[in-house]
Amino acid sequence: MSAKDSMAKEYFADNARFADLCNNILYGGREVILPENLKERDTTEVLTALGLDKKTIAVQKLRDIFKNASIKYTGKSYVVLIGVENQSDIHYSIPVKNMFYDVMAYGNQVKETAKKHRKEKDTATSDEFLSGFTKEDKLIPVITITVYLGTKEWDGPRKLSDMFGDVDEELLPFIPDYRINLLAPREITDFTGFRTSIRQLFEVLKNAYDKEKMQEVLQNDEKFSKVDRETVEAINLFAGTDIDIDEKEEVIDMCKAWEEQKNEGREEGRELGERQKIISLIVKKLQKNKSVAEIADDLEEKEEVIAPIYEAALSMKPDYDVEKIYELLEKNKKLA
């Protein structure tokens, strides 16, 4: 399992974040699914069937996250099974993948119901006995949500029919379709419905491709001044940022950390420019056949500072490429 897969599973398995995610996808941000009403389920889906040779075939799939949700809404109570599949990359057969998970979840419900009836011997007709399912038995609905954690725009299929080639239009009504429930940060236009720090994660993923937009988001949203450690770690991993995290801190001011990182970058740039300027001056004097002592005197610098640059430049003649001389000096510094 990759670092991104592990991080995503651990991050969204948290009940508060899971509920926040589901409420935004399923209820437009209304707080309907509560964290305390979520219960972990086994993420392993196993479905068995008889093969052509009459031998039992077992198919096993492992979901990312799978929970039982008890929902009280509009004066009624409901139970639904919700799975979350995290994608750090675009998956071009995701409708088939998710549909298979859902079919297995329904198949397991039927299998467990049939097992119960066989044990209790309570089927009333031969039809119910053969089905393993009675007219009164009901399935628990299964919903699978795909969370795309990439920074590119999603250009993969959103339903099974997107994967078809040319199909006779008269046949389409007879072909069952399957639509995925996709959350792609680049497509979110309003983040105010999120109540947990997944809001900050998705906002960064939406704007990660544009540093100016990222700066604007960090400056205008005060919630970035207090971001939990796990979310900053997720942002660094999925958005490719390098926000500094103090091991002693559980809450990070991302606005401050981002600004400090930018300042460090500017300082490093200035240092690089100054260093290359000195190299360029030494090269010019070297080309005039001046010695280390003479160059040090001209530049009012110590000979021990000039000498390594002089030697590195000599090794690069006759081109005297300033950038290559700088790279050689940096390499020698690391080896020292």
Side-chain angles (χ1 to χ4, degrees):
M1 185 185 299
S2 71
K4 287 185 176 181
D5 288 338
S6 298
M7 168 72 80
K9 287 182 181 182
E10 184 177 343
Y11 186 76
F12 287 107
D14 174 80
N15 275 0
R17 295 187 190 116
F18 190 93
D20 195 16
L21 178 71
C22 293
N23 283 327
N24 272 273
I25 287 283
L26 307 177
Y27 290 103
R30 299 192 302 280
E31 203 168 6
V32 176
I33 299 174
L34 304 178
E36 58 267 29
N37 293 334
L38 292 169
K39 185 179 178 182
E40 294 285 341
R41 288 183 66 95
D42 187 356
T43 57
T44 305
E45 299 279 16
V46 181
L47 195 60
T48 57
L50 285 177
L52 295 175
D53 57 359
K54 303 299 182 181
K55 291 182 179 179
T56 301
I57 300 171
V59 179
Q60 178 174 307
K61 290 288 181 181
L62 191 66
R63 278 182 178 267
D64 285 346
I65 308 167
F66 202 33
K67 294 180 186 277
N68 184 311
S70 299
I71 304 171
K72 294 180 180 179
Y73 188 55
T74 61
K76 295 183 178 180
S77 295
Y78 309 91
V79 176
V80 64
L81 303 180
I82 305 176
V84 167
E85 294 303 312
N86 301 300
Q87 291 295 142
S88 54
D89 300 297
I90 298 169
H91 196 305
Y92 290 104
S93 63
I94 195 71
V96 174
K97 178 185 176 184
N98 287 1
M99 181 172 63
F100 195 43
Y101 281 133
D102 291 357
V103 166
M104 292 183 77
Y106 286 124
N108 282 330
Q109 289 185 56
V110 171
K111 185 177 72 173
E112 290 302 312
T113 301
K115 188 187 296 183
K116 177 175 173 290
H117 286 311
R118 284 197 301 272
K119 182 179 179 180
E120 297 180 1
K121 299 180 180 179
D122 59 355
T123 49
T125 67
S126 59
D127 294 332
E128 290 181 345
F129 177 79
L130 290 172
S131 304
F133 212 76
T134 70
K135 289 172 64 176
E136 289 72 32
D137 288 328
K138 305 297 178 186
L139 293 172
I140 300 173
V142 179
I143 297 172
T144 296
I145 297 170
T146 298
V147 180
Y148 173 51
L149 296 167
T151 56
K152 298 188 297 184
E153 289 189 10
W154 178 273
D155 64 356
R158 295 169 186 264
K159 55 186 185 296
L160 185 64
S161 57
D162 289 342
M163 299 176 65
F164 296 159
D166 291 334
V167 179
D168 184 345
E169 289 190 6
E170 289 189 48
L171 296 179
L172 287 176
F174 304 97
I175 303 173
D177 208 349
Y178 179 92
R179 177 180 55 83
I180 66 170
N181 303 301
L182 176 69
L183 187 149
R186 288 282 292 271
E187 298 173 5
I188 300 174
T189 56
D190 182 5
F191 292 89
T192 58
F194 292 102
R195 291 176 167 79
T196 68
S197 54
I198 63 174
R199 168 178 172 168
Q200 283 74 55
L201 171 61
F202 291 151
E203 279 196 88
V204 170
L205 288 174
K206 180 182 176 72
N207 297 287
Y209 70 98
D210 188 324
K211 288 187 177 180
E212 288 186 9
K213 286 187 177 181
M214 178 87 87
Q215 179 71 24
E216 186 180 336
V217 166
L218 292 174
Q219 287 178 337
N220 295 336
D221 190 342
E222 62 180 16
K223 289 185 180 293
F224 279 99
S225 63
K226 293 181 179 179
V227 185
D228 64 271
R229 182 190 187 88
E230 287 182 343
T231 297
V232 178
E233 289 174 345
I235 287 171
N236 277 343
L237 184 61
F238 294 112
T241 55
D242 190 23
I243 302 298
D244 188 44
I245 303 173
D246 190 322
E247 292 184 2
K248 298 177 182 177
E249 293 181 353
E250 290 302 320
V251 177
I252 289 90
D253 185 340
M254 275 195 65
C255 308
K256 181 180 176 183
W258 179 264
E259 194 60 38
E260 287 175 351
Q261 189 181 55
K262 281 182 64 181
N263 291 336
E264 285 174 7
R266 293 192 195 102
E267 186 61 33
E268 287 174 2
R270 279 195 292 270
E271 289 177 5
L272 173 60
E274 290 171 5
R275 183 85 162 152
Q276 290 183 340
K277 185 177 180 181
I278 292 170
I279 294 171
S280 182
L281 288 172
I282 292 172
V283 165
K284 287 178 182 178
K285 293 183 182 296
L286 172 61
Q287 289 172 322
K288 294 178 181 179
N289 296 318
K290 289 199 174 187
S291 67
V292 171
E294 289 173 319
I295 296 172
D297 186 55
D298 288 348
L299 299 180
E300 298 181 346
E301 189 59 85
K302 294 178 181 179
E303 287 186 31
E304 54 263 36
V305 174
I306 300 298
I309 302 174
Y310 184 92
E311 294 298 328
L314 269 179
S315 70
M316 294 290 177
K317 69 177 185 180
D319 296 328
Y320 297 111
D321 188 304
V322 172
E323 286 189 10
K324 289 183 179 178
I325 295 170
Y326 174 80
E327 289 172 4
L328 177 60
L329 288 166
E330 287 297 301
K331 181 180 179 182
N332 291 341
K333 189 191 297 183
K334 290 177 182 178
L335 294 174

